[in-house]
């Protein structure tokens, strides 16, 4: 892990020339390329047919006929969706494309590339993350259905849910599970996906540079308190506790990473 850490965090040092953030200009008006049209149509068909994660998609031969494009464009379109996690390609006999998921982690991953090119730093990412999660927690506590709030937060208000058996993947998944549950109460998928993506980048990057399980003792009671505030419907308290919770993580990272928080966010 050490080699990756050094490579990831040092490569941006010393490069203070960033690409200014622009509107993208005329690129918004350019027509979609054939591969992008295919990708759009596949996603459209997944929605129209109400398919869920793991459901099979037509074979390549069938898609070539269905979408009327070249094999090259079809494969490029499938690849575009595959890297975003929206589909998965099962290899081997009986394999083929299947429906994937809509994950804030994937959105975060591609966002990190934008952040890097703009020169945005880890410091800025952490700032955005604290604000975003505070906003989600406040909105979650405002959800009008007290029964739903209680049911969604119940796994986190009851004892210590973070018993993942020590595996890093399991720990990260359980930690993300709490934040996802809070975000789900916002009932706005645009906010849920975009604001959650910051935390996904942070989790991914912290896991690359350090073992976040050492943070467990600091975090385990925080979730309990936030979940209780959301359940009780206290928006301000939920926001304050969430911000405090994440500042703990930021302070921890600052201590561990020092000046490297001023480097540009990497695409990991
Ligand atoms: Zn947390």
């Amino acid at each position: 892990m050490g080699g990756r850490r050094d490579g990831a965090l040092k490569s941006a040092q010393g490069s203070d020339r960033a690409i200014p953030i622009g509107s993208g200009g005329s690129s918004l008006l350019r027509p979609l390329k054939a591969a992008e049209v295919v990708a759009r149509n596949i996603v459209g068909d997944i929605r129209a047919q109400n398919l869920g994660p793991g459901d099979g998609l037509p074979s390549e031969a069938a898609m070539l006929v269905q979408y009327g494009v070249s094999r090259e464009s079809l494969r490029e379109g499938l690849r575009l969706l595959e890297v975003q996690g929206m589909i998965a390609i099962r290899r081997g006999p009986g394999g083929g494309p299947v429906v994937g998921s809509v994950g804030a982690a994937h959105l975060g991953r591609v966002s990190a590339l934008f952040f890097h090119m703009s020169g945005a730093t880890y410091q800025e990412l952490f700032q955005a993350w604290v604000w975003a999660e505070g906003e989600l927690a406040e909105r979650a506590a405002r959800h009008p259905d007290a029964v739903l709030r209680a049911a969604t937060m119940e796994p986190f208000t009851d004892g210590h849910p973070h018993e993942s058996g020590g595996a890093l993947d399991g720990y990260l998944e359980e930690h993300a599970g709490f934040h996802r549950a809070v975000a789900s109460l916002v009932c706005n998928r645009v906010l849920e996906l975009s604001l959650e993506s910051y935390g996904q980048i942070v989790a991914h990057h912290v896991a690359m540079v350090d073992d976040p399980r050492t943070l467990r003792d600091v975090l385990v009671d925080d979730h309990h308190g936030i979940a209780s505030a959301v359940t009780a419907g206290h928006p301000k308290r939920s926001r304050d506790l969430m911000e405090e919770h994440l500042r703990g993580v930021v302070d921890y990272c600052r201590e561990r990473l020092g000046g490297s928080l001023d480097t540009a966010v990497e695409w990991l």
Side-chain angles (χ1 to χ4, degrees):
M1 188 146 47
R4 192 159 184 180
R5 162 181 56 203
D6 295 344
L9 290 177
K10 280 183 185 160
S11 62
Q13 284 174 355
S15 60
D16 49 11
R17 285 193 61 201
I19 308 290
I21 298 174
S23 65
S26 59
S27 67
L28 278 177
L29 300 175
R30 78 164 167 78
L32 290 178
K33 293 178 178 173
E36 293 170 316
V37 173
V38 173
R40 179 188 65 187
N41 291 343
I42 293 170
V43 169
D45 287 341
I46 289 171
R47 290 290 303 129
Q49 292 162 35
N50 230 355
L51 300 178
D55 286 346
L57 292 166
S59 66
E60 183 180 279
M63 282 197 194
L64 282 172
V65 175
Q66 190 175 342
Y67 299 117
V69 290
S70 69
R71 191 178 300 271
E72 193 192 6
S73 294
L74 175 64
R75 287 186 175 171
E76 201 184 328
L78 288 169
R79 167 63 82 183
L80 225 155
L81 296 176
E82 190 187 11
V83 296
Q84 307 302 339
M86 291 174 180
I87 66 161
I89 310 286
R90 291 201 177 136
R91 317 281 168 197
V98 295
V99 178
S101 60
V102 179
H106 288 289
L107 181 61
R109 205 158 197 173
V110 75
S111 301
L113 202 54
F114 281 85
F115 296 155
H116 186 85
M117 190 140 163
S118 75
T121 63
Y122 281 97
Q123 191 67 44
E124 289 168 272
L125 172 65
F126 281 133
Q127 195 179 30
W129 180 45
V130 172
W131 174 81
E133 293 283 339
E135 184 69 24
L136 291 171
E138 181 175 331
R139 285 171 180 262
R142 287 192 201 282
H143 194 293
D145 185 343
V147 176
L148 181 68
R149 286 201 315 271
T152 310
M153 290 292 105
E154 193 269 338
F156 311 98
T157 48
D158 187 18
H160 279 219
H162 299 291
E163 296 304 331
S164 51
L168 180 58
D169 274 6
Y171 172 75
L172 286 176
E173 184 46 37
E174 284 184 19
H175 186 264
F178 169 71
H179 290 270
R180 225 174 14 243
V182 171
S184 75
L185 284 170
V186 172
C187 296
N188 180 320
R189 281 163 282 206
V190 174
L191 289 177
E192 188 177 339
L193 261 176
S194 51
L195 297 190
E196 242 204 302
S197 69
Y198 307 144
Q200 292 290 336
I201 307 174
V202 172
H204 183 200
H205 288 224
V206 169
M208 287 290 164
V209 298
D210 193 24
D211 188 338
R213 283 170 295 186
T214 56
L215 267 170
R216 171 178 293 186
D217 290 344
V218 182
L219 302 184
V220 80
D221 291 335
D222 287 359
H223 284 185
H224 187 282
I226 300 163
S228 301
V230 170
T231 300
H234 294 146
K236 182 165 185 326
R237 181 163 168 73
S238 300
R239 176 188 277 272
D240 289 347
L241 288 176
M242 181 65 93
E243 288 184 355
E244 200 178 302
H245 166 53
L246 298 186
R247 282 202 195 99
V249 180
V250 172
D251 287 347
Y252 175 89
C253 293
R254 190 174 285 125
E255 252 171 50
R256 293 295 183 104
L257 305 175
S260 50
L261 288 190
D262 294 326
T263 63
V265 175
E266 274 292 337
W267 193 44
L268 296 180

